Amino acid sequence: MTWVFFQSLISGILAGGVYALFGVGITIIFGVMKMVDFSACTQLVWGMYFTWIFYSVTGLNCYWAIPFVVICMGALAWVVFKLIVRPLLGSDDTSFILVTLGLSYFLQNLAEFIFGANPKSVPSSIKTSSIMLGEYSIGLPRLIAFFAMVILVLGVYMLLNRTTLGRAMRATSEKPEVAQMLGINTKKTFTIAFMIGVIFAGLSGLLITPLYYVTPTSGHMFRTTAYIAVIIGGLGDIKGALVGGIAIGIIEALVTGLIAIDLGPVGICLALLIVLYLRPQGFFGKGERQA
């Protein structure tokens, strides 16, 4: 039982790294634009397909596809923002939710139309490789994904806190009207924030391609879990997305390993209910200001 507990704990931390990276992308968009992007799971799928395209053309390991995926996801984000998101700026939350849900189904069906419904794989020499830490096994693809998440999240943290663009994004997130009066191009800031969020979703897809088959519905496994991680951590807070993602990964792994393999989602939903009861704004979320 002790071995199962610690092995599940290690696996949960590593799995939570992907949830955290995915959640940070959602958090950036919400933090700056105050809108939840419900098409993020399908953006993850397109990141997987761009990785598969790169492998099919070059035959190189999927991790070499990072620059290619960043460029492709950035281009996709720019087109989506200009054609769909930008006209919605200033609209109510319901409009954005409905449009991004519709965008999710459109991107999923577009992927199925272009690539077909048959599963595709991105072979990797390290797919089944692992590192032994004493008697515990650490899967190499998940370990790489975890460290990639740490590097990317640190990069975003530095961007937001140490650069002029980051200060503009934080100012826009607080008071867009005031930021615009101070000379900040808020529409450009919104565009960059949306692109960063979409790129993070695509990179999450890249990092899981050694572990999962690529299909138009591959993002469904993140549809609930990643959003719960963001809610638990606190909407709009990067630290919260990081902690929430890892926490959800640990809870899922422990419930699966110690209780039953089918009860992982139940444990996650129970954790959500407990957090919402004790702290509705999440671990790091800010409560509403009182007059």
Side-chain angles (χ1 to χ4, degrees):
M1 183 63 72
T2 302
W3 181 89
V4 174
F5 174 82
F6 284 106
Q7 181 64 63
S8 299
L9 182 64
I10 293 171
S11 300
I13 293 173
L14 297 181
V18 177
Y19 294 146
L21 180 62
F22 188 61
V24 166
I26 297 172
T27 297
I28 290 172
I29 293 175
F30 179 84
V32 176
M33 302 175 65
K34 298 298 182 287
M35 297 177 176
V36 180
D37 181 11
F38 284 94
S39 65
C41 293
T42 319
Q43 295 160 10
L44 176 145
V45 171
W46 275 88
M48 297 178 76
Y49 274 114
F50 286 135
T51 306
W52 175 79
I53 290 172
F54 179 87
Y55 169 78
S56 300
V57 173
T58 66
L60 296 175
N61 192 293
C62 64
Y63 301 111
W64 290 101
I66 290 177
F68 176 74
V69 171
V70 168
I71 293 171
C72 291
M73 294 304 298
L76 175 64
W78 187 85
V79 172
V80 168
F81 185 88
K82 293 297 183 182
L83 297 181
I84 299 174
V85 177
R86 185 170 178 175
L88 293 175
L89 295 178
S91 303
D92 56 25
D93 294 339
T94 304
S95 299
F96 195 81
I97 290 172
L98 293 175
V99 169
T100 54
L101 281 173
L103 175 63
S104 176
Y105 287 108
F106 171 77
L107 291 175
Q108 177 181 317
N109 284 280
L110 180 63
E112 185 172 349
F113 175 76
I114 295 175
F115 303 106
N118 293 330
K120 305 182 187 303
S121 64
V122 181
S124 173
S125 58
I126 64 170
K127 186 172 185 177
T128 58
S129 301
S130 61
I131 298 174
M132 297 303 298
L133 185 64
E135 58 182 337
Y136 303 105
S137 175
I138 302 176
L140 194 54
R142 290 192 183 277
L143 184 63
I144 293 174
F146 183 85
F147 280 111
M149 177 276 297
V150 171
I151 293 170
L152 289 168
V153 171
L154 285 176
V156 167
Y157 183 82
M158 296 293 289
L159 171 70
L160 292 176
N161 292 279
R162 301 294 177 85
T163 66
T164 302
L165 173 60
R167 288 189 286 272
M169 292 173 70
R170 287 188 286 119
T172 303
S173 70
E174 290 290 334
K175 294 288 184 181
E177 298 82 3
V178 175
Q180 194 164 11
M181 290 173 59
L182 294 174
I184 296 174
N185 188 335
T186 55
K187 290 184 179 179
K188 180 180 178 181
T189 305
F190 287 147
T191 305
I192 294 173
F194 188 78
M195 290 178 67
I196 292 174
V198 173
I199 288 171
F200 268 47
L203 289 175
S204 300
L206 180 149
L207 293 172
I208 65 172
T209 49
L211 302 169
Y212 300 98
Y213 285 107
V214 184
T215 70
T217 59
S218 294
H220 287 183
M221 56 187 162
F222 291 90
R223 178 164 288 175
T224 302
T225 309
Y227 287 104
I228 289 178
V230 173
I231 294 170
I232 287 177
L235 279 168
D237 192 282
I238 290 179
K239 297 188 301 293
L242 178 62
V243 173
I246 294 176
I248 286 300
I250 292 173
I251 292 169
E252 184 180 37
L254 290 177
V255 172
T256 301
L258 297 176
I259 302 176
I261 194 170
D262 296 329
L263 293 182
V266 176
I268 292 172
C269 292
L270 181 61
L272 173 64
L273 292 175
I274 293 173
V275 171
L276 289 179
Y277 178 77
L278 297 176
R279 188 173 172 81
Q281 66 268 37
F283 292 149
F284 296 93
K286 297 178 181 178
E288 294 184 1
R289 294 180 180 178
Q290 301 296 325

